[in-house]
Amino acid sequence: MASSLLHQHLHELSVFDAAARAGSFSAAGRELGMTQSAVSHHVATLEAVLGFRLFARVWRGVALTDSGAVLFDGMKNGLAAIGAGIEGARAAARQRQFTVVTDFAFASFWLVSRLAELRRISGGSDASIVTSQASAAVD
């Protein structure tokens, strides 16, 4: 249930997050490029799906209800985990890589048998081998 709720109402949850951080539907709307009434509509939809109120409407904005505060804290933890995942993915994408351009015979008869050692001395970098019979200029 929670997983399908997340997938079906991800936009409403992001609007809720913005409103909770801003303490105002108007400020959340400015942040998200939406009107105050659109923010209010998304929050009302999420409240209907969840079955409880997320905000108490106060004179100068909104305040989280106890249930809203629990959801907001959980979302902060979840967003922090997603942020850590993104940073980990970026680090993996930045993994070092090098390319060796050589002819087929050298690659087949000498280089391939030494790839493990080459990877070890290069600090675990990935190697890409390009073979060509054409001469190549090296910068």
Side-chain angles (χ1 to χ4, degrees):
M1 164 79 179
S3 178
S4 66
L5 174 80
L6 175 66
H7 288 90
Q8 292 174 6
H9 298 284
L10 191 56
H11 185 65
E12 284 83 6
L13 286 164
S14 69
V15 172
F16 163 73
D17 175 67
R21 283 184 289 104
S24 158
F25 289 177
S26 296
R30 284 190 297 276
E31 176 186 326
L32 298 170
M34 302 170 70
T35 64
Q36 175 273 334
S37 63
V39 171
S40 179
H41 175 75
H42 285 293
V43 169
T45 298
L46 186 58
E47 287 175 332
V49 168
L50 294 173
F52 54 84
R53 307 238 352 126
L54 297 168
F55 293 100
R57 278 63 174 179
V58 295
W59 182 66
R60 283 272 208 204
V62 292
L64 287 169
T65 62
D66 290 343
S67 297
V70 169
L71 177 58
F72 184 54
D73 286 342
M75 285 184 63
K76 285 191 290 189
N77 293 336
L79 292 171
I82 291 169
I86 290 169
E87 287 308 311
R90 282 184 177 150
R94 288 190 301 260
Q95 182 178 6
R96 294 180 300 174
Q97 182 178 2
F98 62 91
T99 302
V100 178
V101 180
T102 185
D103 67 31
F104 181 79
F106 180 78
S108 296
F109 297 112
W110 190 86
L111 186 59
V112 170
S113 64
R114 292 168 175 83
L115 277 179
E117 178 66 9
L118 187 57
R119 184 171 166 81
R120 186 190 66 76
I121 63 174
S122 70
S125 297
D126 285 334
S128 173
I129 301 171
V130 177
T131 61
S132 174
Q133 293 309 113
S135 61
V138 178
D139 293 331

